[in-house]
Amino acid sequence: MLLGLDLSTQSLSALLIEPAAGTIQAEVSVNFGADLPAYGSPSGFLPGGTGGVVHADPRMWMDALDLLLGRLAAVADLSQVKAIACSGQQHGSLYFDATFEERLGRLDPAQALSGQLAPALSRATAPIWMDTSTGVECQEIAAALGGPAEVCRLSGSVAVERFTGPQIRRFFKTEPEAYAKTARIHLVSSFAASMLAGESIGIDYGDGAGMNLLNLHTLDWDDALLQATAPGLREKLPAPVEPASIAGTISPYFATKYGFSSSCRIVPSTGDNPSSLIGMGAASPGTIVISLGTSDTFFAAMEKAVTDPQGFGHVFGNPAGGFMSLICFRNGSLAREALRDELGADWAAFDRAGLALTSAGDDGNRMLPFYGPEITPRRDFTGPVRQGDAAFQRGENPPAQIRALLEGQFLNMRLHSQWIGEKAALIRLTGGASKNEGIAQLVADIFQTPVERFAVANGAALGAALRAAHATGHALPELEERFCKPAAGSRLEPDPSLAAVYEQALTDYRKLLNGES
Ligand code: ADP
Ligand code: XUL
């Protein structure tokens, strides 16, 4: 059996698979808010941060690992686990002093992880991906490199507030003494693997590319980026590692405490989006994954590594080799819910029957579908921008508002993914809104690409389990064949008669966004 763990924003989950049979043997999870209330983090982070600061308590993640493996050991024989891989929320970082490695190496199974590792924290809390406090640091890093385009060319992304490099720079500037005491910096994902291995494990090219520090051409830390970020940084970072490799063997702590075999292997971790790419069966170019969650994300394996000249999209290492694109849209379900509540409507109004009240491209009613600041495109919207007939512009005619919002969202996604320059054969849709048939059909029509939906809810944990299997000798195409199946009857074909309508709508949308109409 192979084990995949996903340390995400709100929970830590485990998925145990039997690769030859293609079966999921066990699935357990720990919810940070509900299971570990003492950390005062109902949504997985410490509330009340000011100036864009969003941090989490790393001790909560340590306790969660003990709790999770205790639950898993109660339902499965962990001595049968050949290898473990982890996935983690991207960009978040943990800071440890010089005692960390030694503490990791002599963990006592009679005690909890948190009591033994927390004393090594040189920064009590960990900034996570929701943190937007580093605008100044992003500008400083870009300036040091001669502009944002150079940061993007080297690292695959312009300097971004949530990315780890700008976060490290802010720590160095605001707490120089604590930074100087820091001997080891981990990402959430590499920290999870390091606990399991009892030694620091390297950072893979998938999650490493979310730091503005990894040079995508050399797949090593980039000296110019390191220097622009903070002094002495190379020594504090674990080395970048090939994702499909064996990084270590399980620590005696976990073998003794939870019954793992002492030969169980630890595979390098990756970020939750790269991991989902594998879990959604999209490891090879040609399949796009669109996740309709709180925010919407778009990602796909890339044929060739190109970067977004506008600086909104990102390029990460693909854990299966090569590269992947990732584009985040902040106003996903957030905006759909805002309009639903504004109109006093329900999700049925966003589904097939509701959308059937209007027609595609509805008489030129267009909307820039943003209820607050957006990151793609990066702009401080304060509410939707409407263009169309008078009633529509006044916010009347609910069916037209809903269609314009949804069309605006997916036209915006199509427009801002054009830099990738590849036509996909298939879209795999996941996340809460993907069960909505009307929305799924709209995605198929606007992209003129078939859409499939998935049965497995936790693509990141499944991706981790498949990576553990891949790294221990199972072929990825066969694993995908067995595990990455669309839900029966979930495939939707695009309506070819709408191709021209949405081509025109895309042109109109672009003009509205650029203020040309
Ligand atoms: P998260 O990003 O928190 O993991 P999920 O992928 O679980 O989010 O998606 C949850 C969201 O899905 C809800 O907040 C809700 O807006 C949306 N949602 C749920 N059901 C529907 C539906 N039938 N139609 C459209 N959106 C839906
Ligand atoms: C990606 C990002 C988020 C986190 C959430 O850039 O910030 O998707 O990975 O888990």
Side-chain angles (χ1 to χ4, degrees):
M1 294 195 291
L2 285 313
L3 178 60
L5 302 185
D6 176 40
L7 209 179
S8 74
T9 314
Q10 307 212 28
S11 60
L12 172 65
S13 46
L15 200 140
L16 193 60
I17 62 166
E18 215 285 75
T23 51
I24 292 173
Q25 300 287 356
E27 228 180 321
V28 296
S29 86
V30 167
N31 181 284
F32 303 138
D35 290 319
L36 297 166
Y39 289 105
S41 304
S43 303
F45 54 85
L46 297 159
T50 53
V53 167
V54 184
H55 285 203
D57 190 331
R59 295 173 305 168
M60 177 181 77
W61 297 329
M62 301 170 194
D63 280 347
L65 184 59
D66 270 324
L67 190 56
L68 180 88
L69 294 178
R71 287 181 183 174
L72 188 61
V75 296
D77 174 7
L78 299 183
S79 71
Q80 300 304 307
V81 177
K82 290 236 154 20
I84 311 176
C86 302
S87 139
Q89 53 168 299
Q90 296 201 249
H91 320 297
S93 48
L94 298 92
Y95 302 77
F96 296 99
D97 67 20
T99 70
F100 176 61
E101 301 293 338
E102 190 227 322
R103 286 175 177 278
L104 265 183
R106 58 168 169 80
L107 290 171
D108 173 6
Q111 300 172 47
L113 285 168
S114 57
Q116 302 182 75
L117 294 178
L121 286 166
S122 56
R123 187 181 199 183
T125 57
I128 66 162
W129 65 279
M130 298 164 88
D131 189 296
T132 54
S133 66
T134 64
V136 171
E137 287 72 21
C138 289
Q139 286 171 16
E140 290 168 347
I141 291 168
L145 270 290
E150 182 61 4
V151 181
C152 190
R153 190 187 68 81
L154 292 171
S155 76
S157 304
V158 298
V160 179
E161 285 82 351
R162 68 186 188 283
F163 277 37
T164 322
Q167 291 290 342
I168 293 172
R169 178 161 180 79
R170 187 174 142 89
F171 178 50
F172 156 67
K173 282 168 58 186
T174 55
E175 297 178 60
E177 282 161 23
Y179 177 78
K181 259 186 60 189
T182 300
R184 186 54 84 214
I185 299 175
H186 270 292
L187 292 182
V188 172
S189 64
S190 63
F191 172 63
S194 301
M195 284 194 285
L196 291 167
E199 61 175 326
S200 268
I201 297 296
I203 292 178
D204 91 301
Y205 311 144
D207 220 9
M211 302 174 79
N212 285 137
L213 292 172
L214 186 76
N215 183 314
L216 290 187
H217 310 271
T218 62
L219 295 175
D220 189 12
W221 305 126
D222 184 274
D223 285 318
L225 288 169
L226 290 171
Q227 216 177 344
T229 300
L233 187 48
R234 186 181 279 274
E235 294 70 50
K236 301 182 199 292
L237 293 173
V241 284
E242 158 69 41
S245 60
I246 300 296
T249 306
I250 200 155
S251 144
Y253 175 92
F254 296 97
T256 308
K257 200 161 183 169
Y258 303 110
F260 286 99
S261 151
S262 58
S263 65
C264 173
R265 303 293 185 204
I266 307 300
V267 172
S269 306
T270 193
D272 54 1
N273 294 297
S275 193
S276 294
L277 186 79
I278 308 300
M280 296 292 294
S284 309
T287 302
I288 294 171
V289 181
I290 296 177
S291 169
L292 304 175
T294 307
S295 296
D296 292 343
T297 52
F298 171 112
F299 51 91
M302 301 179 102
E303 201 78 66
K304 38 183 199 328
V306 289
T307 51
D308 181 1
Q310 289 194 287
F312 303 135
H314 312 294
V315 178
F316 295 155
N318 173 348
F323 295 93
M324 64 178 283
S325 58
L326 176 107
I327 315 171
C328 287
F329 302 85
R330 189 179 165 279
N331 283 271
S333 285
L334 285 176
R336 292 185 285 275
E337 286 172 17
L339 180 67
R340 181 198 61 184
D341 297 344
E342 192 178 297
L343 299 175
D346 56 18
W347 289 132
F350 289 65
D351 216 322
R352 276 195 191 282
L355 290 174
L357 299 172
T358 50
S359 53
D362 196 39
D363 296 333
N365 287 328
R366 295 269 148 260
M367 191 189 288
L368 299 183
F370 310 111
Y371 274 78
E374 178 51 56
I375 51 180
T376 308
R378 203 168 293 121
R379 224 184 266 180
D380 277 332
F381 292 97
T382 50
V385 176
R386 295 177 169 92
Q387 182 188 59
D389 61 55
F392 175 75
Q393 298 210 133
R394 286 194 301 269
E396 296 165 9
N397 189 355
Q401 301 294 336
I402 291 168
R403 176 175 284 278
L405 176 102
L406 293 173
E407 288 184 344
Q409 289 190 315
F410 299 112
L411 288 168
N412 187 59
M413 196 178 268
R414 188 173 146 187
L415 182 65
H416 289 101
S417 55
Q418 280 177 340
W419 60 272
I420 300 165
E422 292 170 23
K423 171 88 177 101
L426 181 66
I427 294 173
R428 287 200 159 144
L429 211 55
T430 179
S434 68
K435 60 174 168 281
N436 185 310
E437 285 270 327
I439 294 178
Q441 184 64 53
L442 203 68
V443 171
D445 291 339
I446 289 182
F447 282 87
Q448 285 291 301
T449 304
V451 162
E452 281 179 0
R453 278 149 310 146
F454 256 39
V456 174
N458 194 341
L462 176 59
L466 298 185
R467 290 185 52 245
H470 178 48
T472 49
H474 293 269
L476 204 49
E478 282 163 30
L479 292 167
E480 284 188 344
E481 176 86 26
R482 287 186 200 129
F483 287 95
C484 310
K485 292 196 206 89
S490 76
R491 190 179 164 103
L492 298 170
E493 298 297 332
D495 177 350
S497 73
L498 296 180
V501 175
Y502 283 124
E503 207 59 55
Q504 182 59 46
L506 188 67
T507 304
D508 295 346
Y509 181 86
R510 185 196 285 115
K511 283 191 186 151
L512 181 60
L513 190 63
N514 295 341
E516 292 164 17
S517 58

